[in-house]
C-alpha cells in the first residue's frame, strides 16, 4: 500500500485523511469479479489478498499478464487514486467518468514500463487518444480499453487534466 501511495506523487496528490485497507480471500462484491473497491463513506479500501489474487484473475485479462504482487500494487494504486479524488474534490461530486479517468491513468502510470507495455498491448488502443474516447459507456463495456485510453491521454496532457478535474474546471462527463 505504501508503494502504491508513493506512486501517486506524480501529480503531487495526497490523502487528507487516513484510509483503512481490508483484505479478503475472494472478490469484494458477491456475484462479481470485483477485486478491489474504495468505500468513500467509510474511508476503506477492500482488496483481494495478494496471496489469493491469482486465483481470481480472468485468464485472458490484462492482470493475468502481471506477477501477483504487481497486479496487487496496481489495484491498490487505482483504489488509492479514488480515495484521493474523493478527499480532494472540495466536497464537490466528481462524475464517475472523471473518477475512473484519474484512477486508471495513474494506475497505469505507476506500472513499470515493461508491465505497462503488456497492459497497453492487450488493449489495442493507440495514441493519440481523443477526449471523446474518455466515456463512461466505454468504461462500462470495455474497462481495460478505457484504462489504456485514459493513460495515453494522461501521458499526452499530463497532470493539468487531473488538477482540472479536482478543481472542477475539467470534466469528461457529457449528459445524454
Amino acid at each position: 500500500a505504501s508503494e502504491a501511495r508513493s506512486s501517486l506523487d506524480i501529480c503531487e496528490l495526497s490523502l487528507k485523511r487516513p484510509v483503512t485497507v481490508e483484505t479478503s480471500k475472494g472478490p469484494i462484491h458477491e456475484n462479481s469479479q470485483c477485486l478491489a473497491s474504495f468505500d468513500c463513506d467509510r474511508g476503506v479500501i477492500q482488496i483481494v489478498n495478494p496471496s489469493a489474487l491469482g486465483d481470481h484473475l480472468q485468464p485472458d485479462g490484462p492482470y493475468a499478464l502481471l506477477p501477483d504482487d504487481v497486479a496487487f500494487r496496481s489495484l491498490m494504486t487505482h483504489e488509492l487514486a479514488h480515495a484521493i479524488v474523493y478527499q480532494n474534490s472540495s466536497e464537490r461530486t466528481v462524475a464517475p467518468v472523471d473518477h475512473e479517468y484519474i484512477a486508471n491513468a495513474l494506475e497505469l502510470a505507476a506500472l513499470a514500463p515493461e508491465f505497462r507495455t503488456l497492459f497497453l498491448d492487450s488493449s489495442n488502443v493507440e495514441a493519440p487518444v481523443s477526449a471523446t474516447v474518455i466515456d463512461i459507456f466505454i468504461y462500462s463495456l470495455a474497462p481495460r480499453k478505457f484504462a489504456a485510453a485514459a493513460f495515453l491521454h494522461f501521458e499526452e496532457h499530463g497532470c493539468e487534466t487531473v488538477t482540472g478535474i479536482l478543481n472542477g474546471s475539467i470534466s469528461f462527463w457529457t449528459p445524454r
Side-chain angles (χ1 to χ4, degrees), residues 4-23:
R5 172 59 208 103
S6 65
S7 69
L8 294 172
D9 289 342
I10 188 171
C11 291
E12 299 179 15
L13 302 174
S14 62
L15 291 168
K16 294 181 182 256
R17 294 177 299 284
V19 171
T20 301
V21 177
E22 297 175 351
T23 59

Side-chain angles (χ1 to χ4, degrees), residues 131-147:
T132 60
V133 177
I134 311 301
D135 186 290
I136 198 65
F137 295 106
I138 292 173
Y139 175 74
S140 300
L141 297 172
R144 294 306 106 199
K145 230 178 226 318
F146 178 94

Side-chain angles (χ1 to χ4, degrees), residues 57-113:
L57 298 176
Q58 296 175 351
D60 58 342
Y63 290 115
L65 302 171
L66 307 175
D68 288 351
D69 63 320
V70 174
F72 179 83
R73 192 169 44 254
S74 189
L75 290 165
M76 181 64 73
T77 301
H78 183 103
E79 297 310 327
L80 279 170
H82 279 302
I84 285 173
V85 171
Y86 179 75
Q87 292 182 8
N88 286 274
S89 56
S90 303
E91 312 258 338
R92 214 175 23 77
T93 300
V94 175
V97 67
D98 298 331
H99 251 283
E100 292 303 338
Y101 172 85
I102 292 174
N104 282 283
L106 297 182
E107 174 187 355
L108 267 61
L111 283 173

Side-chain angles (χ1 to χ4, degrees), residues 27-46:
I28 305 307
H29 302 290
E30 288 184 34
N31 302 322
S32 79
Q33 288 297 318
C34 183
L35 302 173
S37 70
F38 172 64
D39 181 331
C40 59
D41 293 328
R42 297 184 323 140
V44 173
I45 292 174
Q46 293 178 294

